[in-house]
Amino acid sequence: MKLHGAEIEKTIAAEETGQPFRVGPAYFERLRAAAEARGTFVEVHHGDLDPKGCIGVMSSDLGEQGLDNGYGLLETALPPLPTLDVLYERQLLDLNTVQEALAAEGASTLNMAIHPLGRRDFDSYREQVAPKGIYRYIWYRGWDHTSGMDGRSQNSPSTSVDVDEAAMAVSVVIGAGAAFIGLCANSPFEEGRVSGAKETRLLMWERMFGGSRAKSDLEKAKFPTQPFQSLGDYFHWMFGPGTNMHFAHASSTQDYRGIGASLIIVEGNPGLLEFLSRAEWRGYRFDDLMTNFPPRETVRVAPSLRHLELLQWAQFTGARVRFQLDRHEEIPAAEFAAACRGDGSRDVEKMLAPYVKAMWIEGRDPGANFPDRELLDIDEQAARSIIIAPSALQAGLLRNLSAASQFLHSHDWNDLAALRAAAIRDGLDGRVGNLSVRAFTERILEIAAQGLLRAEHKFLAYFEYVLRTGKNGADRQLAWLDRYHSGSLSGLPELVKSRVAVPASVK
């Protein structure tokens, strides 16, 4: 059975002023009370740098409702669900509970993928950043973590796949990036100005990774140079020659966010496949390097596929292969590394198949979109489907995988990369030679619709509206500012207030 999940991020603002907003303890207390009232509360999540401060509420029906990078960017990681209909119901329940908790503090989710008045200076960062130990490591790596502090939010669909189809599936979702972006672009402003792009959110990576100790970090946030023929190709691209692994872990946990004192910097800074190819490495505890220099001890690390699972997040292009493995120690790490040759071989699929508990594709290109009053008044069905639409589009493509792959292979892969960049800049109006984002997106939507059940077609209503009108969320923001403020940036606070999310009930 195919499962569907989503990670829904939310840019927030104060309703009265439109200014950026920071949630506090009372917000999480309300989320907990709501989960307890539903009978689904599981536990609260604390930041490892502030063990007393709650940064997330876990429930059995909504997964974790917490923070992304800071107190001004919310994130809900929904659990895997059996149908798009159930996912849709949970997405609306999540939005309703979040909106109720925010409303008590005079705040709201926005139908925007960046807060136009958000700042990325270090003073703002210090006030907003979540107390997660992983962020100390990120600065050590050389990343500029301020780059996403203006509420850059995505709607990230997850769709389960079989091991044998994972490489083709991730290539399809990456290759279709121009369509996802053209339909979902929702961030034409940044730091109080018109940015010159329709989906400015996706331009953060140059700033984030430009100063990284590992030059490959920026490369792995870009469109790959060719589609993947196998998982061996995918892992070779992600972790092979020219890359440097992030860290090992002294415990068996797979939660890289709560690193505590267990994070290990491996001596020699190898790539992950090189790391896996040897029986043992020496390393140093990150905490020792940062606070007790010189390090108190040398740690010996035995590579295993737990380290592969731990670092599966470590690329930031348009889609990822995500997975959970079982009986890690039974998989020969060196043999796995040798199988990741990048030559199209299917050896990795054969090797992993007996151990895969779950595998899914995580789409990363869609910007966050939510129903707002303007859209509800224009097209109620479009507004009702706006949150589920990226999940429906991705699910439809992956259910119709052969047709989707065949269509994408009819184009030059480099043209698809250029078309994605054009969509970031110009939305549906983007063009590369004779190839337009609009025409490409129309065909992608047709292929996806063919993969969905007839009863699921309603989940594409927002995308059909965008194609019919030629206006995505970014276009509507720009048009609103022109209509009511003659394009003056002094109208940005009012624009923000006009984009308050209005939850729609299930019908």
Side-chain angles (χ1 to χ4, degrees), residues 249-328:
H249 215 295
S251 70
S252 62
T253 180
Q254 298 306 311
D255 183 2
Y256 66 88
R257 296 165 299 181
I259 59 175
S262 297
L263 188 154
I264 305 298
I265 303 299
V266 177
E267 192 175 75
N269 201 24
L272 182 63
L273 295 185
E274 180 186 357
F275 171 78
L276 293 174
S277 68
R278 283 172 41 180
E280 186 178 85
W281 292 78
R282 297 200 322 168
Y284 310 95
R285 294 187 185 276
F286 181 67
D287 278 3
D288 278 1
L289 287 170
M290 295 296 101
T291 62
N292 296 299
F293 189 85
R296 292 169 295 176
E297 62 177 321
T298 298
V299 180
R300 296 192 178 278
V301 183
S304 78
L305 269 289
R306 290 189 186 278
H307 296 103
L308 177 75
E309 190 170 2
L310 175 68
L311 296 176
Q312 62 182 285
W313 55 271
Q315 58 92 347
F316 291 82
T317 192
R320 295 170 178 157
V321 179
R322 303 302 302 265
F323 51 90
Q324 294 177 345
L325 301 177
D326 195 15
R327 309 193 314 279
H328 303 75

Side-chain angles (χ1 to χ4, degrees), residues 98-130:
V98 166
Q99 286 297 84
E100 289 172 3
L102 288 173
E105 301 187 45
S108 174
T109 299
L110 298 178
N111 183 22
M112 292 177 151
I114 288 180
H115 194 301
L117 301 172
R119 309 301 300 180
R120 298 191 290 170
D121 58 273
F122 197 80
D123 286 342
S124 300
Y125 177 85
R126 186 167 48 235
E127 292 176 0
Q128 291 279 356
V129 69

Side-chain angles (χ1 to χ4, degrees), residues 121-267:
D121 58 273
F122 197 80
D123 286 342
S124 300
Y125 177 85
R126 186 167 48 235
E127 292 176 0
Q128 291 279 356
V129 69
K132 301 179 182 180
I134 185 64
Y135 297 153
R136 294 188 305 171
Y137 166 79
I138 279 175
W139 284 102
Y140 163 82
R141 181 82 168 191
W143 294 6
D144 183 351
H145 197 230
T146 68
S147 60
M149 273 295 145
D150 50 354
R152 298 187 179 223
S153 51
Q154 66 178 11
N155 180 328
S156 174
S158 292
T159 314
S160 67
V161 292
D162 295 332
V163 176
D164 287 341
E165 65 186 11
M168 182 185 293
V170 76
S171 298
V172 161
V173 177
I174 292 171
F180 282 101
I181 296 164
L183 293 166
C184 297
N186 202 20
S187 54
F189 305 98
E190 68 175 353
E191 297 189 276
R193 62 181 177 83
V194 179
S195 69
K198 297 292 179 68
E199 189 66 310
T200 312
R201 177 185 63 89
L202 286 170
L203 298 178
M204 66 187 288
W205 304 121
E206 290 281 349
R207 174 168 166 171
M208 175 83 88
F209 303 131
S212 176
R213 294 169 179 266
K215 299 305 179 185
S216 59
D217 287 347
L218 181 55
E219 292 302 312
K220 303 314 170 190
K222 296 178 180 179
F223 206 87
T225 57
Q226 59 188 8
F228 306 111
Q229 302 302 315
S230 68
L231 283 177
D233 289 354
Y234 176 76
F235 290 125
H236 184 269
W237 167 78
M238 190 170 170
F239 296 126
T243 67
N244 303 102
M245 69 181 289
H246 284 275
F247 45 73
H249 215 295
S251 70
S252 62
T253 180
Q254 298 306 311
D255 183 2
Y256 66 88
R257 296 165 299 181
I259 59 175
S262 297
L263 188 154
I264 305 298
I265 303 299
V266 177
E267 192 175 75

